[in-house]
Amino acid sequence: MALVLKSGFTFDYDNLFGEGKVTQADLDSYAEDLKKAHEAMKVMRETGFIKAHLSKDGNPEKVYFSKLPYITEENGKLNLNSPASIKRLHDFTERIRNNVDVVVSLGIGGSFLGNKVLFDIFCGEFWNTWSAEKRKGMPKVYFSGQNIDARRTGDIIDHIKAIAEHKGGKIKVMLMCMSKSGGTLDTMSNFMVMYDALKKCDNIEVEVVAVTDPNMEKKTLLKQLAVENGWETFAVPDGVGGRFTVFCEVGLSTAAVIGMDIEKFLEGARDMDKACQNEDIWQNPAMLNAALKFAASEKHGRNIEVMMPYGDYMKSLSEWYIQLLAESLGKQFDKDGKEVCYGRTPLVAVGTTDMHSQTQQHQEGALDKVVQFIKVEKWANDLVIPNAFPEAKKLADISGVTMSEALEVARQSNADALKSNHRFNACFSLPELNEYHLGELLYLLAMSVAYEGELANVDAFNQPGVEAYKRIMGPKLQELKASK
Ligand code: PA5
């Protein structure tokens, strides 16, 4: 059983729905809630309204992520994607090409995770070792700010200095500081350390680009600095929470830096949004995914979701999803103020790597998981396993097949084995790992948590829980500073 879109994107739920799994009766029991959730999504698309959603300051706040796939003049007024903003991103690409040697993208959480997905999938592990020609003139890219780790930050600084020395002459380094709130400790501490260290180098020219809330009346600290120093800025618009920013200028400015096809990425998201407007649950990938996972959790105790793409460069996609699911749905109180302590727990896994570690748990451990596979049907660069040692029968037996065929046999075998032991699993299939299908997948996952928020009656767009440690950390840092 599978939902197949015209594009070829497939959601195979055969091992999640049916006898001994989530049943039709389970879904029928949510019929009214599903109708209401679908209605709420329609209202959100049209007006940005989400019942009971409040901002960090406790004020009603609009939710605009579903507008991001659309490139319209009207969206431009809300600092969302417009023909002018997309043109500016293209101009940015051309300004950087053959002009900037190194970009350091600084950010954490929503200002990091989506960017890393784009980089890993479209650049891979060795981008920074390639020649400028092979990178089509685009810069080397490093990430920082996603921890407060002096060792790694120091290493990046030393590495950039070494690049400058090796090249001779002067190199240009662009620090892209990304923070919606404009003052996040992790991001800003790394930014200041790096800015200060690199500025002192005669052979390094430093340029800063700030990606932050564009509000000019109530400027963020980063915006204030950008205005004072004349730094170029991109926007993290109102109504777009961190975990949805991969479709706004946070993700798109990174896409511009690596020369990705931005329009195709948004087109994939847009087509998925259209599919998710279908009121028939069997034709609506987000409603179906949310309903099946919600029922698996509520009716069958499968409240852990293992996100397990097959392919190394998709690991960061799992990590992006962890934030999306955890921050959106892990809530103590529902929209009516009742204590519910809701939230399925997400886990990162990668196939085949984790078949040699986690799979034992998935196969025989507690019956509390749904394993969500992601597979790519056609890989761009496949390799045939050669008959390198014909005398070794075991090795000769696997020769002649491609590595991606072997990868899929491994995934399918894992799915079959899980199924044989009543372990729920499902699979998203991407015809190819390109901008369009990645846009489809990321948008589907974002829209699914929005549906699930409605089904569970929790606000999927706030994150009050992360304020608790911040309230403790602030004074502690002050104390530390005073003791110096
Ligand atoms: O989803 C979220 O809102 C968070 O993960 C934020 O993205 C993260 O805390 C970083 O915040 P900021 O972009 O304001 O620096």
Side-chain angles (χ1 to χ4, degrees), residues 292-422:
L292 290 173
K293 304 273 173 71
F294 182 66
S297 170
E298 295 294 286
K299 309 254 185 200
H300 302 268
R302 315 290 172 118
N303 56 12
I304 294 175
E305 182 169 359
V306 181
M307 182 52 86
M308 191 166 189
Y310 272 60
D312 284 339
Y313 294 163
M314 287 190 285
K315 183 171 187 184
S316 39
L317 200 156
S318 283
E319 286 162 350
W320 172 85
Y321 183 64
I322 299 312
Q323 185 206 23
L324 180 69
L325 194 71
E327 275 194 352
S328 300
L329 299 175
K331 301 289 154 72
Q332 187 171 357
F333 299 100
D334 72 7
K335 294 192 191 209
D336 304 313
K338 191 172 139 219
E339 185 162 45
V340 288
C341 298
Y342 182 74
R344 296 184 294 116
T345 302
L347 284 183
V348 173
V350 172
T352 59
T353 312
D354 288 305
M355 289 167 75
H356 298 260
S357 64
Q358 293 187 35
T359 290
Q360 171 62 34
Q361 229 286 344
H362 304 167
Q363 184 72 26
E364 293 188 353
L367 283 157
D368 54 4
K369 291 169 213 67
V370 175
V371 179
Q372 177 62 60
F373 297 116
I374 300 173
K375 81 169 194 196
V376 173
E377 273 157 32
K378 190 169 177 296
W379 286 90
N381 303 309
D382 209 350
L383 298 172
V384 179
I385 302 171
N387 199 5
F389 306 100
E391 62 287 355
K393 181 162 176 355
K394 198 173 167 203
L395 298 181
D397 281 351
I398 59 165
S399 69
V401 302
T402 68
M403 290 187 81
S404 64
E405 284 167 342
L407 181 73
E408 174 51 14
V409 168
R411 190 205 64 77
Q412 188 62 60
S413 306
N414 192 5
D416 291 352
L418 291 170
K419 178 187 170 188
S420 72
N421 203 20
H422 314 292

Side-chain angles (χ1 to χ4, degrees), residues 56 108-111 178-184 187 241-243 323 327 463 470:
K56 206 158 57 177
I108 193 165
S111 296
M178 308 204 182
S179 174
K180 180 173 182 173
S181 60
T184 302
T187 306
R243 52 201 179 269
Q323 185 206 23
E327 275 194 352
Q463 55 278 331
K470 287 184 188 165

Side-chain angles (χ1 to χ4, degrees), residues 153-438:
T153 304
D155 281 353
I156 297 179
I157 293 168
D158 289 347
H159 183 68
I160 292 173
K161 287 181 182 169
I163 292 173
E165 265 161 44
H166 181 74
K167 191 177 174 196
K170 206 164 184 163
I171 66 161
K172 187 157 179 180
V173 176
M174 179 181 277
L175 301 181
M176 289 184 75
C177 189
M178 308 204 182
S179 174
K180 180 173 182 173
S181 60
T184 302
L185 168 72
D186 322 59
T187 306
M188 298 312 279
S189 55
N190 278 281
F191 172 54
M192 289 191 288
V193 168
M194 221 167 262
Y195 180 82
D196 187 60
L198 298 180
K199 272 283 210 190
K200 289 182 180 138
C201 302
D202 294 337
N203 56 353
I204 296 177
E205 181 188 341
V206 179
E207 179 182 340
V208 179
V209 171
V211 187
T212 188
D213 185 331
N215 191 333
M216 283 300 276
E217 274 84 62
K218 237 176 96 197
K219 292 191 198 75
T220 69
L221 216 125
L222 183 55
K223 181 78 185 176
Q224 183 71 40
L225 286 170
V227 170
E228 282 166 14
N229 292 284
W231 299 335
E232 176 159 14
T233 59
F234 287 102
V236 195
D238 264 353
V240 181
R243 52 201 179 269
F244 301 91
T245 55
V246 70
F247 301 107
C248 78
E249 285 183 356
V250 173
L252 301 186
S253 59
T254 302
V257 163
I258 57 176
M260 226 182 96
D261 191 333
I262 292 173
E263 276 93 338
K264 276 275 168 237
F265 180 59
L266 293 177
E267 188 188 334
R270 192 159 64 238
D271 286 350
M272 182 57 77
D273 184 59
K274 287 177 186 155
C276 296
Q277 291 177 30
N278 204 314
E279 60 188 28
D280 174 1
I281 185 170
W282 302 105
Q283 300 301 324
N284 180 329
M287 180 153 56
L288 183 60
N289 182 42
L292 290 173
K293 304 273 173 71
F294 182 66
S297 170
E298 295 294 286
K299 309 254 185 200
H300 302 268
R302 315 290 172 118
N303 56 12
I304 294 175
E305 182 169 359
V306 181
M307 182 52 86
M308 191 166 189
Y310 272 60
D312 284 339
Y313 294 163
M314 287 190 285
K315 183 171 187 184
S316 39
L317 200 156
S318 283
E319 286 162 350
W320 172 85
Y321 183 64
I322 299 312
Q323 185 206 23
L324 180 69
L325 194 71
E327 275 194 352
S328 300
L329 299 175
K331 301 289 154 72
Q332 187 171 357
F333 299 100
D334 72 7
K335 294 192 191 209
D336 304 313
K338 191 172 139 219
E339 185 162 45
V340 288
C341 298
Y342 182 74
R344 296 184 294 116
T345 302
L347 284 183
V348 173
V350 172
T352 59
T353 312
D354 288 305
M355 289 167 75
H356 298 260
S357 64
Q358 293 187 35
T359 290
Q360 171 62 34
Q361 229 286 344
H362 304 167
Q363 184 72 26
E364 293 188 353
L367 283 157
D368 54 4
K369 291 169 213 67
V370 175
V371 179
Q372 177 62 60
F373 297 116
I374 300 173
K375 81 169 194 196
V376 173
E377 273 157 32
K378 190 169 177 296
W379 286 90
N381 303 309
D382 209 350
L383 298 172
V384 179
I385 302 171
N387 199 5
F389 306 100
E391 62 287 355
K393 181 162 176 355
K394 198 173 167 203
L395 298 181
D397 281 351
I398 59 165
S399 69
V401 302
T402 68
M403 290 187 81
S404 64
E405 284 167 342
L407 181 73
E408 174 51 14
V409 168
R411 190 205 64 77
Q412 188 62 60
S413 306
N414 192 5
D416 291 352
L418 291 170
K419 178 187 170 188
S420 72
N421 203 20
H422 314 292
R423 310 289 159 151
F424 293 5
N425 62 90
C427 184
F428 298 124
S429 293
L430 278 58
E432 287 173 63
L433 193 49
N434 60 20
E435 284 93 338
Y436 179 87
H437 295 301
L438 183 68

